[in-house]
Amino acid sequence: MRITVCLTDNRPDAWIEGLRAALPGADVQNWVSGAPQADHAVVWAPPQTFIDEQPRLRGIFNVGAGVDALLKLRLPPRTMVVRLDDAGMSVQMAEYVCHALIRHFREFDAYEADAREARWSFRKPREREDFPVGVMGLGVLGERVAKAVAQFEFPVNGWSRSPKAIEGLRCFAGEAEFDAFLSATRVLVNLLPLTEATRGILNRETLSRLNGQPGGYLINVARGAHLVEADLIPLLDGGPLAGATLDVFEVEPLPADHPFWRHPKITVTPHGSARTVRGATIAQIAGKILAIERGEPVAGVVERERGY
């Protein structure tokens, strides 16, 4: 069995060494143009040239959670595209979202501003019932985030493309229930996959409908293209939103002159809410490759028409 590794902007050596250890019977090599045909590929942002030169791949394994960039390529019709189920990312995502939520809810940003001025201050405690959290996208990451938020006793809503029943959550599904989900939500957490249907879903119209009152808050940890960036600042400047924590952007790295850097109601982080854990990822991919070779079904196979 031959496995090729194509990790754009990432050093492949440790990945190759790990895959060789996990699959001792396999020939694992870094991809170079003109390399022999492989059975499976482990990739991150591969060029179209790689895909064109490897038409016989049985499986392409993406080392990140999102596959939107991969699905933009012309892929062999019979090649299975497989995304990660978790591989250590869900706990990181839960940490990030809970931190952003609690920082806003407890007004720690205001305390930090006061501390810079050596000002001793006090703010009245707020009620969790007044801050219902809505999680868009209830896959592996979204469900973990929603359950983590629920541990802090916030009301938690979830919205997904198809109906789901998750203990401790009030679940909404489909276009028919989207407005009801927004109106029941004050802090909106986006964990949707990026598809043509979800591109720009965070916009003036949708964000204005949060909880039916001023004071909404946005946490975007999915993809920058979910947010219509031009709509956000007007919603913050005297509009219905109290603030936003953004980890993803249309252009990354975020340009130094972008207004998000300097807006007092926006917290910016550099796409680090959940990073791939190499050891866990290699173990998961190796297990899925062996399952495919045995003719067994595997989790995480992408439905190309759906986009995830």
Side-chain angles (χ1 to χ4, degrees):
M1 177 173 58
R2 184 184 296 274
I3 299 170
T4 185
V5 176
C6 181
L7 305 176
T8 302
D9 298 328
N10 288 276
R11 299 183 65 177
D13 296 355
W15 289 87
I16 292 170
E17 181 180 344
L19 286 163
R20 286 173 176 168
L23 298 165
D27 178 13
V28 183
Q29 301 292 337
N30 188 42
W31 176 77
V32 294
S33 185
Q37 295 292 308
D39 301 295
H40 301 282
V42 177
V43 306
W44 176 252
Q48 184 64 53
T49 303
F50 168 80
I51 301 296
D52 293 342
E53 291 189 3
Q54 295 287 329
R56 302 177 195 166
L57 289 171
R58 297 184 63 197
I60 298 178
F61 296 83
N62 199 54
V63 300
V67 294
D68 46 288
L70 186 57
L71 294 181
K72 291 178 182 178
L73 302 177
R74 297 185 305 275
L75 301 172
R78 297 177 182 172
T79 299
M80 187 183 302
V81 178
V82 186
R83 56 176 169 75
L84 294 178
D85 302 324
D86 182 343
M89 289 185 288
S90 68
V91 66
Q92 297 177 64
M93 194 67 82
E95 290 170 344
Y96 182 99
V97 170
C98 288
H99 176 274
L101 166 65
I102 293 167
R103 183 174 184 269
H104 171 63
F105 173 70
R106 294 289 303 273
E107 300 183 87
F108 288 147
D109 52 346
Y111 283 120
E112 290 168 7
D114 286 347
R116 287 191 291 270
E117 302 295 329
R119 184 166 53 241
W120 190 270
S121 61
F122 173 77
R123 283 168 174 78
K124 182 180 179 180
R126 303 198 281 193
E127 299 292 336
R128 284 169 173 76
E129 290 75 15
D130 295 334
F131 285 79
V133 178
V135 178
M136 299 172 66
L138 294 175
V140 173
L141 300 183
E143 182 173 345
R144 180 65 179 270
V145 165
K147 288 180 175 179
V149 169
Q151 290 295 308
F152 291 96
E153 300 182 13
F154 290 93
V156 184
N157 305 310
W159 183 78
S160 55
R161 178 177 177 269
S162 54
K164 293 197 174 185
I166 300 173
E167 186 177 356
L169 274 66
R170 181 185 178 192
C171 292
F172 299 79
E175 196 66 31
E177 296 183 347
F178 188 50
D179 285 350
F181 164 77
L182 291 174
S183 64
T185 293
R186 185 168 182 178
V187 179
L188 182 65
V189 181
N190 179 40
L191 277 156
L192 290 170
L194 181 62
T195 67
E196 286 309 306
T198 63
R199 185 178 299 274
I201 195 170
L202 304 173
N203 55 52
R204 182 185 302 272
E205 180 185 353
T206 56
L207 294 174
S208 295
R209 299 207 297 270
L210 290 180
N211 206 225
Q213 62 179 347
Y217 196 87
L218 171 65
I219 302 171
N220 188 18
V221 288
R223 286 291 184 265
H226 284 123
L227 174 64
V228 179
E229 291 188 350
D231 287 356
L232 182 60
I233 289 179
L235 292 169
L236 294 167
D237 292 344
L241 290 188
T245 293
L246 307 176
D247 187 53
V248 289
F249 307 90
E250 278 272 21
V251 176
E252 296 182 359
L254 188 65
D257 61 352
H258 199 289
F260 285 177
W261 284 114
R262 287 167 292 282
H263 197 284
K265 295 182 179 179
I266 298 176
T267 298
V268 169
T269 57
H271 203 149
S273 54
R275 303 299 297 269
T276 300
V277 178
R278 186 171 56 237
T281 299
I282 287 172
Q284 185 180 131
I285 290 174
K288 291 186 178 188
I289 287 175
L290 291 174
I292 290 172
E293 291 296 309
R294 294 191 298 264
E296 299 171 0
V298 296
V301 176
V302 173
E303 294 183 28
R304 298 193 199 179
E305 297 78 10
R306 191 171 66 173
Y308 57 93

